[in-house]
Amino acid sequence: MNALGIQLGLSFLWAFLVALFAVPSIIYIAHLKNMLDTPNVRTVHESLTPRLGGVAVFAGFMSALTIFADLGNGIQQLLAGCIVLFFVGLKDDLVSISVSKKFVGQLLATGVVMIMADIRVTSFQGILGIHELPIGVSYAFTFLAIVGITNAINLIDGLDGLAGTIVLIITSTYGYYFARYGGASYGNYVFVSICLIGGMLGFLRYNFHRASIFMGDTGSLVCGFIVSILTIQFIEMGLKVGGPFATSSPAVAIGILFVPLFDTLRVFIVRMMAGRSPFSPDKNHVHHRILAMGFQQISTVMLLGLLNLVVILFVINFAALGNTLIISALVVFSVLISVFLGVYQSRSAQQRVAS
């Protein structure tokens, strides 16, 4: 095994063990100080549960990355953004803050990586016939992409182990390609992936059903932010390094993020069609709909994880089709799932009325 392999192994182990040993202490303190999440109309859990698991993930990720990784190529700025969002999420988990304050935190974190590290989407690589983006459009689109992906991961955190499992699948996929094709420009992002995987696995030991702790906004905002930066760097790697999917990398990235993106867009559209704010909370997420079909929490998480894996395998194997065809196929697939969920929901509602 070469030196890089040893470093990656050590960084994974460090992040994993820090998170694994931090969680019991966090659970103990949360119960001691009564910092617990109370079940309500929107939640699925039924007992008082701490929601500071993100602190353990962050501790494992942050310490492993700063010890073992080269912090060049924008990773230093990524860490700075993570620290901003960590404190925003922590405050929200402890005392709850307004959407506007959360947005300001995301604005600051995004500004740091875009302006200080110049991490941004520079080209649409032929989507809708658009290639290189004017600098203003590039900054605006990158901001929307980072905030959108961060919140998509935040929104899918509704079942025991769901957000953690989806983040693991996405991060492992990116990590593999950064390791193989990253080179000098993007190779150190494999450490970002490995450290997040280690921290997340340590946390998931306590987060699967019945969870003794939740990720909370501390975890979902930080993980979502890291995933968004990995996505942008993956897309740019396709453009600048040429590997592994060349100009199809934007469509492949959308496929890798399929479950969180599909869920977020679907609930936003459903809420707006019902004449409500897209941000008004409800029980209309894809995991709520699958639970309503009679699935258990663990089987719902496995089903959504499997769905994400199937879409990832599809976009990887058919990357040669190009952006337009792949994105069209994903849109058609999304519409089919939405129609199925809608038909099933209305049928079960009719059965309830009849009974």
Side-chain angles (χ1 to χ4, degrees):
M1 188 184 263
N2 60 13
L4 178 64
I6 293 168
Q7 259 185 302
L8 286 170
L10 287 172
S11 56
F12 168 81
L13 203 61
W14 182 285
F16 173 73
L17 292 174
V18 167
L20 189 71
F21 290 116
V23 172
S25 306
I26 293 166
I27 293 171
Y28 173 74
I29 292 164
H31 280 283
L32 195 69
K33 300 291 182 186
N34 201 28
M35 297 184 290
L36 304 168
D37 192 38
T38 313
N40 59 42
V41 193
R42 288 191 298 118
T43 55
V44 177
H45 69 287
E46 290 154 10
S47 56
L48 292 165
T49 312
R51 50 182 303 205
L52 293 168
V55 174
V57 179
F58 179 78
F61 168 78
M62 194 81 177
S63 55
L65 199 59
T66 47
I67 292 166
F68 296 103
D70 164 19
L71 300 181
N73 298 340
I75 291 183
Q76 188 180 350
Q77 289 78 6
L78 164 67
L79 288 174
C82 286
I83 292 168
V84 172
L85 288 177
F86 172 78
F87 284 106
V88 170
L90 187 63
K91 186 172 181 187
D92 191 46
D93 286 336
L94 294 174
V95 294
S96 194
I97 59 172
S98 65
V99 174
S100 56
K101 283 182 181 168
K102 264 196 213 176
F103 182 73
V104 169
Q106 291 177 16
L107 184 67
L108 281 172
T110 307
V112 168
V113 291
M114 278 200 313
I115 295 158
M116 308 292 286
D118 201 34
I119 292 173
R120 55 194 174 86
V121 177
T122 56
S123 167
F124 274 6
Q125 302 184 31
I127 297 173
L128 303 173
I130 302 166
H131 288 273
E132 193 167 338
L133 298 172
I135 193 147
V137 177
S138 169
Y139 277 121
F141 180 78
T142 303
F143 173 72
L144 288 175
I146 294 175
V147 171
I149 295 167
T150 303
N151 286 297
I153 300 292
N154 187 19
L155 286 170
I156 206 162
D157 184 26
L159 292 184
D160 296 349
L162 178 57
T165 302
I166 297 296
V167 166
L168 269 184
I169 291 167
I170 293 168
T171 310
S172 303
T173 308
Y174 286 146
Y176 170 76
Y177 288 110
F178 283 126
R180 283 205 58 186
Y181 301 94
S185 306
Y186 299 98
N188 57 343
Y189 277 87
V190 69
F191 280 96
V192 176
S193 305
I194 286 287
C195 294
L196 184 56
I197 291 165
M200 190 56 77
L201 281 172
F203 161 73
L204 277 174
R205 154 76 177 76
Y206 305 92
N207 183 238
F208 266 106
H209 191 64
R210 280 182 183 265
S212 50
I213 190 165
F214 299 145
M215 190 188 290
D217 275 17
T218 315
S220 59
L221 287 177
V222 169
C223 291
F225 181 69
I226 296 164
V227 165
S228 70
I229 302 304
L230 290 175
T231 302
I232 290 166
Q233 295 295 59
F234 175 82
I235 292 168
E236 288 298 296
M237 180 170 75
L239 183 69
K240 290 169 185 164
V241 178
F245 304 109
T247 55
S248 294
S249 54
V252 174
I254 292 168
I256 292 170
L257 294 166
F258 181 76
V259 166
L261 291 185
F262 163 69
D263 179 56
T264 303
L265 288 170
R266 184 185 156 276
V267 290
F268 276 21
I269 291 165
V270 167
R271 286 167 188 172
M272 287 191 288
M273 283 170 69
R276 292 184 294 122
S277 160
F279 302 101
S280 62
D282 57 24
K283 272 191 148 180
N284 212 354
H285 286 277
V286 66
H287 49 268
H288 293 134
R289 299 272 52 87
I290 295 171
L291 282 176
M293 291 178 187
F295 285 88
Q296 298 300 311
Q297 282 212 41
I298 289 181
S299 47
T300 303
V301 171
M302 292 304 169
L303 193 64
L304 286 170
L306 185 65
L307 173 64
N308 215 53
L309 279 171
V310 167
V311 175
I312 288 171
L313 289 171
F314 168 77
V315 293
I316 285 169
N317 285 304
F318 292 96
L321 292 173
N323 286 315
T324 309
L325 278 174
I326 296 172
I327 293 170
S328 303
L330 293 175
V331 169
V332 170
F333 185 50
S334 303
V335 170
L336 289 174
I337 301 174
S338 298
V339 168
F340 172 72
L341 291 172
V343 167
Y344 193 95
Q345 187 182 358
S346 59
R347 191 174 295 168
S348 57
Q350 283 167 359
Q351 286 169 349
R352 279 199 301 274
V353 170
S355 63

